[in-house]
């Protein structure tokens, strides 16, 4: 992303280090953190096959008419446009990484959203590690999930790679992370691993993600408000502003894309987001598609200043997410 475009959108590469003193001891799950939905989808490979977890109908269509199916999946599955370091420069502090093994026998792991990516897990996380070195007071939450076609051996190698790459930067789930506590220990990375059968004391459990599964922004807001009335989860959780297309919707809008759908809905979704409040009973992580095409990140960061000047009590220790 060009510097001029980043400046126009309100780049926030070091926003955590600039928060007021009053917020430095607030648990991170009581702050408002911008996140990107399907963070690696900018790298989708339009020539790759549809992933195995998709419907039988879509996989059959892909086998018979790949020249039509794959470009369509690409248009609707692409939800971000820039590499992880650019997303972090904008202010993103939650990365939604959906990991997969391609069917063609390589031992390398990739990402997937409908189809597979060109960039490997190693390449993406190495880039992120370099960004963290350059921004020592910024903390990023990495949510690893889906694990399309991974074997037990793949999981073991992936966890070993994550633990070695981030080493002393990892914040373990036994702690209540605040900015001040993380800075004092050199911790910059929180990794959630969404597989209940695999456990490691350095990795966190799955982080709940609220999403409405609808292409209608009004229904998304109605769903999120319904979830809020029931009470937020303990610890970290995600409020998803992302829209979800259905097969029927795609059939009715053959020349549209997720980008067009999102841009047409952003005004309403961002207005709702700007009315939210972080804190023990408020929002925490907020995720959006195409984070570089609006002031979403700056808007979410600004929500934290609503906490200044009022008491910000901490959640009890029992609210922490346990190790996976």
């Amino acid at each position: 992303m060009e510097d001029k475009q980043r400046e126009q959108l309100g780049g926030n590469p070091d926003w955590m280090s600039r928060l007021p003193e009053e917020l430095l001891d607030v648990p991170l799950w009581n702050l408002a953190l911008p996140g990107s939905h399907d963070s690696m989808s900018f790298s989708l490979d339009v020539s790759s096959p549809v992933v195995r977890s998709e419907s039988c109908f879509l996989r059959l269509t892909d086998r018979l008419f790949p020249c039509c199916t794959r470009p369509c999946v690409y248009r609707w599955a692409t939800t971000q446009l820039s590499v992880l370091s650019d997303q972090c420069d904008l202010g993103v502090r939650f990365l939604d990484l959906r990991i997969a093994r391609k069917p063609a026998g390589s031992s390398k792991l990739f990402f997937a959203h409908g189809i597979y990516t060109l960039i490997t897990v190693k390449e993406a996380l190495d880039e992120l590690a370099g960004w963290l070195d350059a921004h020592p007071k910024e903390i990023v939450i990495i949510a690893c999930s889906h694990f399309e076609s991974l074997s037990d051996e793949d999981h073991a190698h992936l966890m070993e790679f994550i633990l070695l790459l981030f080493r002393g930067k990892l914040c373990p789930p036994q702690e209540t992370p605040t900015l001040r506590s993380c800075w004092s220990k050199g911790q910059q990375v929180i990794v959630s691993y969404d597989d209940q059968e695999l456990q490691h004391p350095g990795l966190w459990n799955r982080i709940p993600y609220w999403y409405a599964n609808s292409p209608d922004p009004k229904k998304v807001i109605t769903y999120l408000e319904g979830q809020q009335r029931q009470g937020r989860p303990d610890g970290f959780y995600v409020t998803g502003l992302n829209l979800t297309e259905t097969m029927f919707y795609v059939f009715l809008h053959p020349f549209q894309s997720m980008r067009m759908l999102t841009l047409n809905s952003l005004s309403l979704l961002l207005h709702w987001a700007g009315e939210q409040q972080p804190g023990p009973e408020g929002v925490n992580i907020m995720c959006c598609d195409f984070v570089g095409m609006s002031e979403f990140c700056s808007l979410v960061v600004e929500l934290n200043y609503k906490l200044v000047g009022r008491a910000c009590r901490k959640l009890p220790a029992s609210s922490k997410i346990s190790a996976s």
Side-chain angles (χ1 to χ4, degrees):
M1 182 184 300
E2 294 182 1
D3 292 341
K4 183 177 180 181
Q5 181 185 8
R6 186 183 292 111
E7 183 179 351
Q8 289 173 341
L9 293 176
N12 301 282
D14 298 290
W15 68 264
M16 286 180 158
S17 68
R18 297 173 181 171
L19 286 180
E21 176 79 14
E22 186 175 348
L23 302 183
L24 301 188
D25 294 309
V26 175
L28 294 183
W29 48 64
N30 286 348
L31 295 179
L33 309 176
S36 58
H37 168 245
D38 260 303
S39 307
M40 288 300 299
S41 61
F42 66 87
S43 175
L44 292 177
D45 179 6
V46 73
S47 67
S48 87
V50 169
V51 300
R52 295 173 183 174
S53 59
E54 291 292 343
S55 67
C56 292
F57 174 77
L58 187 58
R59 285 185 284 122
L60 177 61
T61 305
D62 182 48
R63 282 198 214 79
L64 297 176
F65 311 106
C67 58
C68 298
T69 304
R70 294 174 188 180
C72 180
V73 172
Y74 178 85
R75 288 200 312 274
W76 286 100
T78 299
T79 64
Q80 304 298 337
L81 299 177
S82 57
V83 297
L84 297 187
S85 58
D86 279 349
Q87 293 182 36
C88 290
D89 278 343
L90 286 169
V92 167
R93 295 297 178 267
F94 174 89
L95 299 171
D96 174 19
L97 303 185
R98 306 184 180 198
I99 297 170
R101 173 193 271 275
K102 290 184 177 181
S106 169
S107 61
K108 295 180 180 179
L109 297 181
F110 293 80
F111 304 93
H113 188 211
I115 52 181
Y116 300 93
T117 62
L118 292 164
I119 295 176
T120 67
V121 169
K122 183 180 185 305
E123 290 168 337
L125 293 185
D126 279 342
E127 178 204 358
L128 179 62
W131 186 89
L132 289 166
D133 287 339
H135 302 272
K137 285 195 168 184
E138 301 303 301
I139 298 151
V140 175
I141 302 170
I142 304 170
C144 300
S145 66
H146 286 64
F147 306 118
E148 176 82 26
S149 301
L150 265 66
S151 65
D152 289 345
E153 184 178 4
D154 290 328
H155 279 289
H157 288 160
L158 175 58
M159 284 195 276
E160 180 183 15
F161 173 69
I162 290 171
L163 294 167
L164 286 174
L165 178 64
F166 297 117
R167 294 188 186 89
K169 287 185 171 68
L170 284 172
C171 174
Q174 296 80 14
E175 301 185 9
T176 300
T178 68
L179 289 174
R180 197 188 307 276
S181 70
C182 288
W183 294 347
S184 68
K185 301 171 186 176
Q187 297 170 344
Q188 289 185 268
V189 184
I190 291 169
V191 178
S192 77
Y193 205 87
D194 186 9
D195 192 312
Q196 296 300 319
E197 296 181 2
L198 299 173
Q199 298 183 352
H200 190 282
L203 304 179
W204 297 60
N205 269 347
R206 173 184 176 272
I207 295 175
Y209 194 123
W210 290 352
Y211 70 100
N213 200 30
S214 171
D216 184 343
K218 293 182 180 179
K219 290 183 178 179
V220 169
I221 292 172
T222 299
Y223 167 82
L224 294 175
E225 290 178 341
Q227 292 293 102
Q228 289 178 333
R229 285 191 291 272
Q230 297 177 41
R232 59 164 284 176
D234 293 336
F236 293 113
Y237 83 103
V238 180
T239 299
L241 299 178
N242 47 287
L243 305 173
T244 306
E245 81 287 356
T246 62
M247 191 73 73
F248 182 67
Y249 186 91
V250 172
F251 180 77
L252 292 179
H253 303 82
F255 302 109
Q256 205 175 60
S257 66
M258 181 55 72
R259 180 173 177 173
M260 295 169 61
L261 177 63
T262 299
L263 291 180
N264 289 337
S265 306
L266 266 179
S267 178
L268 182 61
L269 292 170
L270 293 184
H271 176 75
W272 182 85
E275 295 178 335
Q276 302 310 300
Q277 174 94 29
E281 298 178 359
V283 295
N284 176 214
I285 301 161
M286 301 189 81
C287 274
C288 189
D289 289 332
F290 302 102
V291 294
M293 299 192 71
S294 73
E295 294 186 358
F296 163 74
C297 289
S298 295
L299 183 150
V300 175
V301 170
E302 191 67 23
L303 294 179
N304 290 299
Y305 290 86
K306 294 183 179 182
L307 294 172
V308 177
R310 72 178 182 85
C312 305
R313 67 175 178 85
K314 298 180 181 179
L315 290 176
S318 61
S319 69
K320 294 182 292 185
I321 301 176
S322 60
S324 63

